[in-house]
Amino acid sequence: MVKVWYEPPPGGPRSNLNRGAYYIDSAMTPTFIKKLSKSPPAPIIMGFIGVTAFLCYLPLMSPKNLPSTLSAEHLAAQRAYMRYHNMNPIFGTSSKQARAADPDP
């Protein structure tokens, strides 16, 4: 029987001899992606969350273009439907505190 000695590639697992282990190590990678990969992750994640939150808030900035499901009449009908079917009876729409605070009968 012949013994075979396995030697892993010099770059570690998931690597080839002629290129890096991941896309970031490629020669065709843009410089801003290389800088982002080497910077601390917290500011990048917080910035991404901030930009995403702003983009999600954009439709709410002009109330005249909101969908009809966000109108006051539709929301009141939705609350009445939820109250009739006793949805969220402990802390939600059907709770005693929510029924007392709701101006609709």
Side-chain angles (χ1 to χ4, degrees), residues 8-86:
R14 303 185 87 193
S15 66
N16 289 331
L17 297 175
N18 59 351
R19 60 187 164 97
Y22 301 102
Y23 173 75
I24 302 300
D25 298 333
S26 174
M28 296 178 59
T29 306
T31 56
F32 76 93
I33 292 181
K34 288 181 183 179
K35 287 181 184 178
L36 286 177
S37 69
K38 292 179 177 150
S39 63
I44 295 171
I45 293 172
M46 295 304 289
F48 181 75
I49 290 173
V51 168
T52 305
F54 176 73
L55 291 176
C56 291
Y57 183 71
L58 280 177
L60 299 176
M61 290 175 70
S62 62
K64 63 181 177 182
N65 295 331
L66 289 177
S68 62
T69 55
L70 288 177
S71 66
E73 296 85 15
H74 191 277
L75 291 176
Q78 186 178 18
R79 279 195 311 271
Y81 177 84
M82 291 176 73
R83 208 177 298 120
Y84 178 77
H85 290 286
N86 202 21

